[in-house]
Amino acid sequence: MAKRVLVVEDNELNLKLFCDLLRAHEFLTEGVRDGREAVARAHEFAPDLIVMDIQLPHVSGFELIGQLKADDALKKIPVMAVTAYAGREDEERIRAIGADAYVSKPISLARFIDEVTALL
């Protein structure tokens, strides 16, 4: 059975890239462009992994990870942050709020898939 990945990314091109790349590696994907919809969609889609941008409009990825980790039904789902925040302090901050993995943009396609596979 294919693993399910919820992708939360407001940039249309990045959302398409992540979903297409994951589908090419036989993952089932669902894309969400608005972080405000992510928690509800996670409940409906029941993903095995959530791939998320940190710089989202309306609700930041930091807030969203906090919401996911505070939700008893979702807190065990690994979260991979994908962001342009590339400093060491940024990675530490992102991991401290609950992200299980961190990939900086622009992404390396091989590293992206390696991180997804490692989390699943």
Side-chain angles (χ1 to χ4, degrees), residues 94-107:
I94 289 167
R95 288 183 181 274
I97 61 166
D100 300 281
Y102 167 92
V103 175
S104 62
K105 293 178 185 175
I107 65 165

Side-chain angles (χ1 to χ4, degrees), residues 54-55 62 81 83-97 99 102 104:
I54 293 297
Q55 295 174 317
F62 293 106
T83 183
Y85 291 129
R88 183 80 182 138
E89 293 168 0
D90 296 319
E91 180 177 358
E92 290 170 2
R93 183 173 169 219
I94 289 167
R95 288 183 181 274
I97 61 166
Y102 167 92
S104 62

Side-chain angles (χ1 to χ4, degrees), residues 49-114:
L49 172 67
I50 299 171
V51 173
M52 165 186 321
D53 187 16
I54 293 297
Q55 295 174 317
L56 296 166
H58 312 296
V59 58
S60 77
F62 293 106
E63 294 171 81
L64 190 51
I65 291 171
Q67 291 174 20
L68 292 165
K69 295 303 180 178
D71 187 313
D72 286 339
L74 304 174
K75 67 183 175 187
K76 292 185 180 176
I77 299 170
V79 174
M80 183 171 86
V82 181
T83 183
Y85 291 129
R88 183 80 182 138
E89 293 168 0
D90 296 319
E91 180 177 358
E92 290 170 2
R93 183 173 169 219
I94 289 167
R95 288 183 181 274
I97 61 166
D100 300 281
Y102 167 92
V103 175
S104 62
K105 293 178 185 175
I107 65 165
S108 154
L109 301 181
R111 178 159 185 252
F112 178 83
I113 291 299
D114 287 347

Side-chain angles (χ1 to χ4, degrees), residues 5 13 19 22 26 40-41 47-48 52 79 92 94-95 118:
V5 181
L13 292 175
C19 288
L22 290 163
E26 300 184 3
R41 194 66 199 115
D48 298 294
M52 165 186 321
V79 174
E92 290 170 2
I94 289 167
R95 288 183 181 274

